[in-house]
Amino acid sequence: MPSNDQRFCPADSSQVPRYAGPVSFFRLPQIDDPARVDVAVVGVPWDGGTTNRPGARHGPREVRAQSMMIRPYHHVTRRSPYDVCRVADLGDSPVNPVDLEDSLRRIESFQAALHAAGAAPLSVGGDHLVTLPVLRAIARDAPVGLVQFDAHSDINDVYFGGSRFTHGTVFRRAIEEGLVDPQRTIQIGIRGSRYSPKGGDFAAETGIRVLTIEDVFEIGVAGIVAEVHRVVGSAPAYLTFDVDALDPVYAPGTGTPEVGGMTTHMAQAVVRGLGGLDLVGADVVEVAPPFDVNGATALVGATLAFEILCVLAEARARTRPSG
Amino acid sequence: MPSNDQRFCPADSSQVPRYAGPVSFFRLPQIDDPARVDVAVVGVPWDGGTTNRPGARHGPREVRAQSMMIRPYHHVTRRSPYDVCRVADLGDSPVNPVDLEDSLRRIESFQAALHAAGAAPLSVGGDHLVTLPVLRAIARDAPVGLVQFDAHSDINDVYFGGSRFTHGTVFRRAIEEGLVDPQRTIQIGIRGSRYSPKGGDFAAETGIRVLTIEDVFEIGVAGIVAEVHRVVGSAPAYLTFDVDALDPVYAPGTGTPEVGGMTTHMAQAVVRGLGGLDLVGADVVEVAPPFDVNGATALVGATLAFEILCVLAEARARTRPSG
Amino acid sequence: MPSNDQRFCPADSSQVPRYAGPVSFFRLPQIDDPARVDVAVVGVPWDGGTTNRPGARHGPREVRAQSMMIRPYHHVTRRSPYDVCRVADLGDSPVNPVDLEDSLRRIESFQAALHAAGAAPLSVGGDHLVTLPVLRAIARDAPVGLVQFDAHSDINDVYFGGSRFTHGTVFRRAIEEGLVDPQRTIQIGIRGSRYSPKGGDFAAETGIRVLTIEDVFEIGVAGIVAEVHRVVGSAPAYLTFDVDALDPVYAPGTGTPEVGGMTTHMAQAVVRGLGGLDLVGADVVEVAPPFDVNGATALVGATLAFEILCVLAEARARTRPSG
Amino acid sequence: MPSNDQRFCPADSSQVPRYAGPVSFFRLPQIDDPARVDVAVVGVPWDGGTTNRPGARHGPREVRAQSMMIRPYHHVTRRSPYDVCRVADLGDSPVNPVDLEDSLRRIESFQAALHAAGAAPLSVGGDHLVTLPVLRAIARDAPVGLVQFDAHSDINDVYFGGSRFTHGTVFRRAIEEGLVDPQRTIQIGIRGSRYSPKGGDFAAETGIRVLTIEDVFEIGVAGIVAEVHRVVGSAPAYLTFDVDALDPVYAPGTGTPEVGGMTTHMAQAVVRGLGGLDLVGADVVEVAPPFDVNGATALVGATLAFEILCVLAEARARTRPSG
Amino acid sequence: MPSNDQRFCPADSSQVPRYAGPVSFFRLPQIDDPARVDVAVVGVPWDGGTTNRPGARHGPREVRAQSMMIRPYHHVTRRSPYDVCRVADLGDSPVNPVDLEDSLRRIESFQAALHAAGAAPLSVGGDHLVTLPVLRAIARDAPVGLVQFDAHSDINDVYFGGSRFTHGTVFRRAIEEGLVDPQRTIQIGIRGSRYSPKGGDFAAETGIRVLTIEDVFEIGVAGIVAEVHRVVGSAPAYLTFDVDALDPVYAPGTGTPEVGGMTTHMAQAVVRGLGGLDLVGADVVEVAPPFDVNGATALVGATLAFEILCVLAEARARTRPSG
Amino acid sequence: MPSNDQRFCPADSSQVPRYAGPVSFFRLPQIDDPARVDVAVVGVPWDGGTTNRPGARHGPREVRAQSMMIRPYHHVTRRSPYDVCRVADLGDSPVNPVDLEDSLRRIESFQAALHAAGAAPLSVGGDHLVTLPVLRAIARDAPVGLVQFDAHSDINDVYFGGSRFTHGTVFRRAIEEGLVDPQRTIQIGIRGSRYSPKGGDFAAETGIRVLTIEDVFEIGVAGIVAEVHRVVGSAPAYLTFDVDALDPVYAPGTGTPEVGGMTTHMAQAVVRGLGGLDLVGADVVEVAPPFDVNGATALVGATLAFEILCVLAEARARTRPSG
């Protein structure tokens, strides 16, 4: 880290109990200026793209609360993201709960300010549609690769007779807008009954690599990690983690649970294996606290956000211009 | 009731247990043709006008499920609405969870069909904005009087920098559109902290009669009933019951709870006292099951819907053209 | 209390925390011999008479657990039932969860043994049908008066095409069997929609005094107490408390909640006013823990059981043959 | 499918949101005439055979509600049961919550009508005793093979001193009555502490093949599928899925949870492997909503019911007389 | 307010939704310097004085989260505390969850710093023992009057064989230490069973005025307000609100619930009537989120804290030295 | 078993339903004299060593309640601990919820009495600090080996600036006091973020064998069992099971959940493999019911306690002096 930069540290839980003190992501300082950080952890409290059960707008608050449980050093790598990058809680994105288009604009504008300041976003949703304005902010110039943990491909075309912007159509839109390169896209954990036998045609046509849950259990953590690296390569990539990729026992608090998913242990191990990717941003979405049980899904979301932060910070540390 | 009409009866709970059989409002038959009924009980599963906690879109399903507990005869009047009117479950209104304007159109169109067929609607929301398209469908020709049970006046002008259609602005819009006569409007149970000291100016300027919760406890059931009759008079009127009028212990499952509200016993007694009004429709809104506790709020919503159905059916029976 | 008798005392909560130690009713000793007590507190873990939502079989365990919160002295009277009577936890009645008739026999037999030993029962149910075998055990010789707190009269004739023994028919059976004197019976809190307009005919024909919830709020605690004394008089009487007499906010954990009921404060005050009755037994029924919220209804049940124990013990102390 | 038959389709979730519209199994039409279908999905809302925690009577309603989440096409096979069979929701079986024998008769009679009309039943319980009257209706003429997913063998002889009909004795009775061929019976997932060291003697004597949970984890999905085919063969067979076969984290809402069970992913895969069996009926039992958590077990029950429906419909399509 | 002072305002909920943005008491700014405020709202996340059910240590976080629902203007007075005083969120007091004496010292030291800076504390507990170190910080020089809302007098001498510092002994200690004037002390809402018949002797001997719950319902809001003014007078006083003063339906999330308490409406009205007292500080204690239901008790605590803030700010505005 | 000893048997669940009858560990008799048993099952209702979320003080009561589900014979071994040892419920240890040091003394004294009588303890906590006074009671003379299932090593030095006795420092203290031999200590399931990169230095320096969760999934049940035997050997050993070793989906009701842990099936199998160890005592700790979901964690705790009881009883039977 450049010597003239301030490093941000979480509050020390062995001094201040983890249930006390200001609530922020990972107990990090809350600041307003994105130019002071390499990675900006932010909330996107909006669920206006939800076609089924709402509530993900409450995700950022509960993930923040549960993230107070996370200590700074990873137990396997023995490294801390705060040792290699400046990381802080940059607050919540502006949103408009009663206006979808206005919300997409507000989120994009907020994310664009982070991007302009050189801060890579780690966003906590919100429903999956919030990934679209994030990508509009950071991938306008060149499409990024995509690592998508999800039960659903989210590549439907329209809902309800013509609505094009929903959490179930987000990656078709992102590909159409040239924000995501489908040939450098991999989806992990896809499962669940479908609207039609042709559900995956768009994936096949565009070259998206789909790992169904059957593939996941068959090739295992090492196989998945290898396949992600093969598909995504070394060019810039974005990681999006929809908690419904996990089995509903790990993530009951989500809008569209699908029985028979990944374990958290497996998801953690896969994320940990992505250290070499050139990640330019990431998100954890679809934590819906009204359907959660005692904060369990929010804790899972916070734990995965920490795993992701570890690999994102390492990627940022490698690519950051030296001070 | 005209002798050539079919009467609809709830399933008999002393034969089929109340936890069994098809789920419909009050165990009534589910039919599609509004011309066959005097009162149409319908769901409006939409909460896109919610500025705070969502979930009222799930209201119709849970109120239906809890309404299976309600038997046909009122324990005080010893009368049944099904003895004086044809009543059935006409299903859910079409909605679009990701498009506010499209939803307002769909709801209005569905309600207009009921209205054209001569069926008075008893709608179960959904957030309070759903009352607007209902009123557009039934009060286009002449403004109606309004009996509003609510913690909030819902007469703000805009939210979030310009959004005019929300559950907190619905009655300002309805008055502006000439659907509701403010001088024949009474609000019951208003309370809770406010955005500004001028919160009630619109009410004062337009002549809305506001009974705060302090008024409610001071004048009591008889006083409230008398005041409603004085304000609303004998012309056509609409009754809207936002469950947050009740104290949160009775209605925890709602989007914007306000501590210190009415009891259900008091609310039931007031509704029962409105038998003489010329009601042309009614609704129960803001039941938000994701925040509910074991269906308690949905049961309260169902019980109040039955109280309202009793007075609405009596009103319809008086005004219906003889067969 | 006769000088040669052993007095049973609850464990001391200022020494052993109330969340610790053996779980028994009111922290009383658990004994097997009814001859050693004046009042036997017992559980009847059975709900085979339930026509709607089951779970009251779990009532005794949860009421026991919550009763650990109750200290020995009443805060108004400054008296303790344990100072005037020998009271202990006599365990649970035998039951058969898959055989209604066998259960009625087992419960009656267990209660008859208490009765033969001179112990007055304070039973915790269980659904309301369990009151029938209790009455068979203690009122075979002469009908007793009845003080019934309840939302429902429980005097229907048959259910489901011919079933005569249910929690909704129990007091018609008890009257038919000569166990209860209907002219010395008073029901308090009756409300809720009904199957037919004739719901109360049996009550009117037999002379049961019915206080609807409207009566309850109109005449108040003093009025109810006076009416109970007038109706029941000084002959032997039985008190039965169905927790659905209370509003569902106080007793959500019950099988057939009815919106708009009594407050616990009112119920406590009425029970406290019944000190002069010649109570020969009592019960608290219809606590259904699977529908409860954090033990709230069980705590209410335990608190009311303590209020009842106070008046029952005073009655027993007056009528017990001197040692 | 014969060309002159009507095919039933679920409501389209991309048009009507899944939280809206009439509640039925898989959003299928609700009809009364079993002659119009090949497979009848029905509820059996009864739990009178429960020896421990009740509540399975509420299973059909909650499984129906959660089944609204299931879309028509299977994500692995890309096939839909509605393309090969006529399937509808035939409603709930009559039951009597206070009379065990009457309930067994009512259930058998209802199922016999389905059987006579040529409709194969997919029943949703209810406790496991409901499988007995189903088998009486469809296997009177010749015993069927049995594929039983379960934590418990349910082959005890009597409970509570002589009760022969309970959910823990159902398959001993079915074998004694000649409804099930023990040598073509396989039990999957058996575990949990036992009443005596001889718990499995009846299984051993009659030739039931028992796969304990240890066997399950040792031989895996492929091993289990092979063993089922070996034991059951190609003659008519019945599939019964007690959700307590699953680990309690997947199915907390059940009467007798046993720690350390199957995962849903494994259960789904095994069911999917049973496509070649000659299934004549199936059920999913012991979903007990009062002990469930936010509908999780009901969603698991619905998802497994869909997996079962897929194999049952394929079996029916093979054996149905051509039109 | 002195013209050279900065006024702190809550975030505007009509701009930023109430579920979004940084979590602080009433959406106020979080600052560190007590010299900048007249009233310091602080958390005391500690429950080491709890004799029964723990969890009040989590109170500050949840009350903060629910206080985001409270808008700035009071609906009856139409006044805002932020218009008359500088108010901010000063964070949480240091505590030590495993050391009682160390915690008392840390809390006192933190409060003493507020006091030295001229900031009146509005503390959110934490169990009731936290009031002791607060009083030690602000009432060392002269005893204060005390307005105590509570189900329990909290004047026991010792627990568990000799422990003198618990939430059940706090006001005996405060009186013994000369921090509270018992003759200017009034307790409101006292009820619940007692350890001994002599429970109130200390109150009687020292001159504490006790309003039992029976007194509360008998004399009503106006009577209570008058009695508080009569007892406490115009000298400095402290207000402490234990949420168990309320009936458990309003405040289930507390350590020692007592059935049959005050309504929130009544409590709000009484607090509102205390405007003329010379309040020097206040607290809301015993909110125990692990026993709460969907944040209901925390919302009640936040709402009462706002009522208290309104009267405390008015008192501070009167007594503050002019700028 | 010596012929002159009384054997204790659980109540028979096929006679008395498992939801009925006195609540004790495994339905065993509750006795006071430890000399009458070989294994004493006891509760330690205390959580004063908790640094984060409290509630484990309620563990014994809830584990007792759920243990009523456990039958006497193990389904794999077909053996019962009650056939080889005298086992009973010896009640709860004395504790002092407001005094840490007094509690450690009381627990040690209680355990010392068990030890002096020759009864091996199976204790149910309580937080993990309760293991310290147990070890002081039974390992004063010679250090024992330790098998620790846990997410956390619990070998920190101090918390909160100097507190040496907490649930996070317990095994450093036990090793320092010579109660545990670190070279015969194995920790299983360690994971989760850490306070510093040096978190495990004490383990490395003293020779503790640490199996992280990654090790656990890599070497599997057989590997773990072998490693435990290798490390612990045949000398006396103690087994301690912190339920947070399990993934939070299996044990949500605990103070410091860590995502990504063991399954119950795996934990059961490992415990079952430890039959040959010379166990002198064991405990199950950190079940915190206020954070639990419908008793799930308590049932898991009870099930694991039974697995442990089976191996502990076998060990006691081998080493007990013959009668």
Side-chain angles (χ1 to χ4, degrees), chain B residues 33-83:
Chain B
D33 178 6
R36 296 174 61 198
V37 296
D38 302 301
V39 178
V41 194
V42 300
V44 190
W46 187 77
D47 56 13
T50 303
T51 61
N52 192 6
R53 311 191 311 183
R57 70 179 70 177
H58 298 289
R61 183 177 293 176
E62 295 305 322
V63 173
R64 268 193 187 91
Q66 292 293 334
S67 77
M68 303 285 282
M69 302 280 271
I70 312 290
R71 309 170 198 84
Y73 285 84
H74 193 284
H75 81 288
V76 173
T77 64
R78 302 293 171 105
R79 292 169 63 86
S80 164
Y82 318 118
D83 284 345

Side-chain angles (χ1 to χ4, degrees), chain B residues 51-52 152 159-161 190-197 200 213-214 217 247 249 255-260 291-293, chain E residues 12-19 69-76 78 249-250 264-265 268 272 293-294 299-300 303 306:
Chain B
T51 61
N52 192 6
H152 315 93
Y159 272 78
F160 310 123
I190 303 301
R191 66 188 185 280
S193 50
R194 292 157 170 275
Y195 294 127
S196 80
I213 194 66
E214 283 72 30
F217 282 115
D247 192 273
V249 301
T256 316
E258 297 288 348
V259 168
F291 295 92
D292 203 3
V293 180
Chain E
D12 184 347
S13 301
S14 71
Q15 296 298 323
V16 181
R18 285 180 281 180
Y19 56 81
M69 302 280 272
I70 312 289
R71 309 170 198 84
Y73 286 85
H74 194 283
H75 80 288
V76 173
R78 300 293 171 104
V249 300
Y250 301 96
T264 47
H265 180 79
Q268 287 174 289
R272 207 174 298 150
V293 180
N294 281 358
L299 178 60
V300 163
T303 302
F306 181 72

Side-chain angles (χ1 to χ4, degrees), chain D residues 95-161:
Chain D
V95 298
N96 183 338
V98 296
D99 191 327
L100 188 148
E101 292 184 18
D102 186 30
S103 293
L104 296 186
R105 279 191 300 267
R106 292 182 186 209
I107 299 167
E108 180 181 348
S109 171
F110 177 81
Q111 292 277 345
L114 300 180
H115 186 62
L122 172 54
S123 306
V124 174
D127 73 46
H128 220 153
L129 183 52
V130 308
T131 304
L132 185 66
V134 176
L135 291 171
R136 285 172 174 172
I138 67 179
R140 279 263 187 244
D141 301 330
V144 291
L146 185 72
V147 185
Q148 179 188 352
F149 294 82
D150 211 326
H152 315 94
S153 284
D154 295 348
I155 53 175
N156 289 308
D157 191 11
V158 295
Y159 272 78
F160 311 123

Side-chain angles (χ1 to χ4, degrees), chain A residues 126-129 131 147-152 154 167 170-171 188 191 239-246 251 254-256 262 283-287 304 308:
Chain A
D127 72 47
H128 220 153
L129 183 52
T131 304
V147 185
Q148 178 188 352
F149 294 82
D150 212 327
H152 315 94
D154 295 348
H167 66 164
V170 55
F171 294 110
I188 305 166
R191 67 188 184 281
L239 188 160
T240 186
F241 199 109
D242 183 328
V243 294
D244 66 24
L246 301 166
T254 196
T256 316
M262 296 176 74
D283 60 47
V284 174
V285 297
E286 297 284 357
V287 173
L304 284 163
I308 293 168

Side-chain angles (χ1 to χ4, degrees), chain E residues 115-206:
Chain E
H115 187 62
L122 173 54
S123 306
V124 173
D127 73 46
H128 220 154
L129 183 52
V130 307
T131 304
L132 185 66
V134 176
L135 291 171
R136 284 173 175 171
I138 69 178
R140 278 263 188 247
D141 301 331
V144 292
L146 185 72
V147 185
Q148 179 188 353
F149 293 82
D150 212 327
H152 314 95
S153 284
D154 295 348
I155 53 174
N156 290 308
D157 191 12
V158 295
Y159 272 78
F160 310 122
S163 294
R164 300 180 67 247
F165 295 95
T166 79
H167 66 164
T169 61
V170 55
F171 294 110
R172 184 180 286 233
R173 290 297 94 77
I175 289 169
E176 290 171 352
E177 296 185 15
L179 306 170
V180 164
D181 179 353
Q183 307 212 19
R184 292 183 52 235
T185 291
I186 184 165
Q187 298 180 328
I188 304 166
I190 305 301
R191 68 187 182 281
S193 51
R194 291 157 171 274
Y195 294 127
S196 81
K198 303 177 299 183
D201 286 3
F202 181 80
E205 290 162 10
T206 55

Side-chain angles (χ1 to χ4, degrees), chain A residues 39-44 107-108 110-112 114-115 119-140 142-150 154 170-171 174 178-182 184-188 228-229 231-242 271 274 276-286 308 311-312 315-316:
Chain A
V39 177
V41 193
V42 300
V44 190
I107 299 167
E108 179 181 350
F110 177 82
Q111 291 278 343
L114 301 179
H115 186 62
L122 174 53
S123 306
V124 173
D127 72 47
H128 220 153
L129 183 52
V130 306
T131 304
L132 185 66
V134 176
L135 291 171
R136 284 172 175 173
I138 68 179
R140 279 264 186 243
V144 291
L146 184 73
V147 185
Q148 178 188 352
F149 294 82
D150 212 327
D154 295 348
V170 55
F171 294 110
L179 306 169
V180 164
D181 178 353
R184 292 183 52 236
T185 291
I186 183 164
Q187 299 180 327
I188 305 166
V228 173
H229 282 286
V231 169
V232 175
S234 60
Y238 188 85
L239 188 160
T240 186
F241 199 109
D242 183 328
V271 171
L274 305 185
L277 295 184
D278 181 21
L279 289 181
V280 296
D283 60 47
V284 174
V285 297
E286 297 284 357
I308 293 168
V311 294
L312 179 59
R316 296 303 290 165

